Structure formats: C-alpha cells, structure tokens
C-alpha cells in the first residue's frame, strides 16, 4: 500500500514494476504519479520520526481475527453518497511484546457497497504503543469489482482519557489507483468481544 517491499524494510519500489497491470499506453505519467505518492509516505515517516517497518522474526507468533464496519463517504467525483464499508482480517505477529511496537501481517476479506462486492485484501498492521495519535495503523490492498487497484489506510488514536473508544474506532481513507475514493469511520462491535478474544492463539511462524 505504501510501495514499501514486504521483505526489505526501507525499500520503496516506484518504477514500472509497481504498475499492477498493462496500461495499454505509455506508463510514464502513471509511474511519476506512483513515485510522488510513495514520496509522500517516505516524507511522512521521516517527519514523524517513525522507524522503518520491521519484518516479524521467525518463531512463535500470535494470531487473532478482527472485524471492523461502518460508513464511508464517497467523493463527489466518484459518484458521492455514503456506503457501507467493512473488513474482516486475520492478524499474525510476533508473540513477544516490544515496547517500541512492531508490524503484523494482515489478510482477509473486504466489502464496500457498490464498489467491492467481496474482495481478498492483505497488508499490515503497525503497532505504535508509545504514540497517542496513529497508535495502530492499518494498510490494506485490494481490487475493486472492475479490477482496479485500491488501498485502505486506517488509524486508531488512543489516549488515557478514552482508551476503549480509541481502540475500537478506525479513521479510514480509501483510495483507488492513487486517487481519493472516500473517507469514513469504522468501529469494532463490542458484542463481538467474546469471539474476538477466543480468536487469539499461538502458532509457529510460516516457513
């Protein structure tokens, strides 16, 4: 979602290989747009002082499943209106807690009314326990019903004054082929707290 390689933290791919499919036309403008988008991610990381994403080490890992749902306000240029948005993902990360946080791998399914009927999604969940804003950062990549590449970026903001609300509220931005598609707020249904807790389990790292 940010053009950063999955297996090599700090490596951003912005040439023609980042284009997900044949365009049928000269891809120079598309490549320049992708490069500018990747540069924004790099700039944001430098300004925030965040460390490069780490690949989870091999060993015991913790797994859990989570569902977030809510509404997304679609941009007028994309048809406008409010659409239901939800995703269910399985998270996999290092079972050993780290004060500075870490990055977990995500995979699951996503729906956005009128745009994505039911699509596979994958990405990362970055944990930043020492920060109040953007404490948990979700980045998912998926494809809409017309085969166009989309991304979802979401952030949970926690704090001492509202820890529960912060942990169950995800401020979301959805993009299609780099252009803003819509923004919304997703929440975790507290009625699903029991199944969520039961979904936690330890597993060996994938080979």
């Amino acid at each position: 979602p940010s053009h950063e390689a999955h297996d090599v933290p700090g490596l951003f791919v912005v040439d023609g290989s980042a284009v997900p499919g044949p365009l049928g036309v000269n891809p120079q403008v598309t490549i320049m747009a992708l490069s500018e988008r990747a540069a924004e991610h790099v700039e944001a990381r430098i300004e925030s002082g965040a460390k490069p994403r780490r690949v989870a080490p091999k060993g015991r890992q913790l797994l859990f499943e989570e569902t977030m749902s809510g509404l997304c306000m679609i941009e007028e240029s994309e048809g406008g209106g409010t659409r239901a948005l939800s995703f269910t993902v399985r998270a996999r990360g290092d079972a050993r807690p780290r004060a500075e946080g870490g990055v977990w791998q995500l995979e699951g399914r996503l729906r956005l009314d009128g745009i994505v009927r039911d699509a596979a999604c994958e990405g990362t969940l970055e944990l930043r326990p020492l920060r109040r804003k953007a404490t948990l950062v979700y980045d998912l990549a998926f494809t809409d019903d017309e085969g166009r590449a989309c991304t979802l970026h979401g952030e949970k903001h926690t704090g001492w004054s509202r820890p529960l609300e912060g942990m169950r509220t995800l401020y979301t931005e959805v993009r299609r082929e780099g252009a803003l598609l819509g923004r919304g707020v997703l929440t975790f249904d507290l009625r699903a707290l029991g199944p969520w807790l039961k979904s936690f389990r330890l597993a060996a790292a994938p080979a």
Side-chain angles (χ1 to χ4, degrees):
S2 64
H3 295 268
E4 186 174 14
H6 289 288
D7 299 323
V8 185
L11 172 64
F12 290 80
V13 180
V14 296
D15 64 354
S17 62
V19 180
L23 298 176
V25 296
N26 189 323
Q28 180 178 356
V29 175
T30 301
I31 292 172
M32 288 190 293
L34 292 175
S35 300
E36 183 175 355
R37 179 173 178 270
E40 292 177 354
H41 286 284
V42 175
E43 181 182 29
R45 175 176 294 178
I46 293 174
E47 289 183 348
S48 67
K51 297 180 180 179
R53 175 179 57 81
R54 297 190 309 275
V55 177
K58 295 184 180 298
R60 298 288 284 176
Q61 297 207 322
L62 187 65
L63 281 69
F64 70 89
E65 294 185 2
E66 180 181 36
T67 297
M68 303 290 297
S69 60
L71 299 175
C72 181
M73 181 64 71
I74 302 299
E75 293 289 292
E76 291 296 333
S77 59
E78 297 287 347
T82 302
R83 315 283 179 87
L85 169 63
S86 65
F87 65 78
T88 298
V89 291
R90 170 176 290 184
R92 174 187 290 269
D94 193 342
R96 296 170 298 177
R98 298 174 182 270
E100 70 274 18
V103 176
W104 290 35
Q105 303 302 313
L106 300 177
E107 60 178 8
R109 312 293 299 186
L110 181 146
R111 299 182 63 179
L112 177 54
D113 283 356
I115 296 173
V116 182
R117 187 174 298 107
D118 179 30
C121 62
E122 63 177 3
T124 59
L125 166 59
E126 185 174 357
L127 284 66
R128 304 172 178 177
L130 302 181
R131 298 181 59 180
R132 181 190 64 79
K133 188 174 183 180
T135 314
L136 300 173
V137 179
Y138 294 68
D139 283 298
L140 295 172
F142 59 96
T143 302
D144 70 8
D145 292 342
E146 297 179 3
R148 290 181 287 183
C150 301
T151 59
L152 179 147
H153 175 82
E155 298 181 359
K156 291 182 178 180
H157 304 162
T158 63
W160 295 110
S161 61
R162 46 170 230 159
L164 181 59
E165 180 184 355
M167 287 297 293
R168 63 183 295 264
T169 304
L170 185 70
Y171 299 94
T172 306
E173 179 180 277
V174 180
R175 291 182 175 271
R176 180 162 56 190
E177 296 182 335
L180 181 63
L181 179 60
R183 293 188 174 94
V185 178
L186 307 184
T187 58
F188 174 81
D189 189 344
L190 291 178
R191 291 174 294 182
L193 182 60
W196 177 72
L197 292 172
K198 291 180 180 179
S199 73
F200 279 80
R201 63 184 180 88
L202 288 172

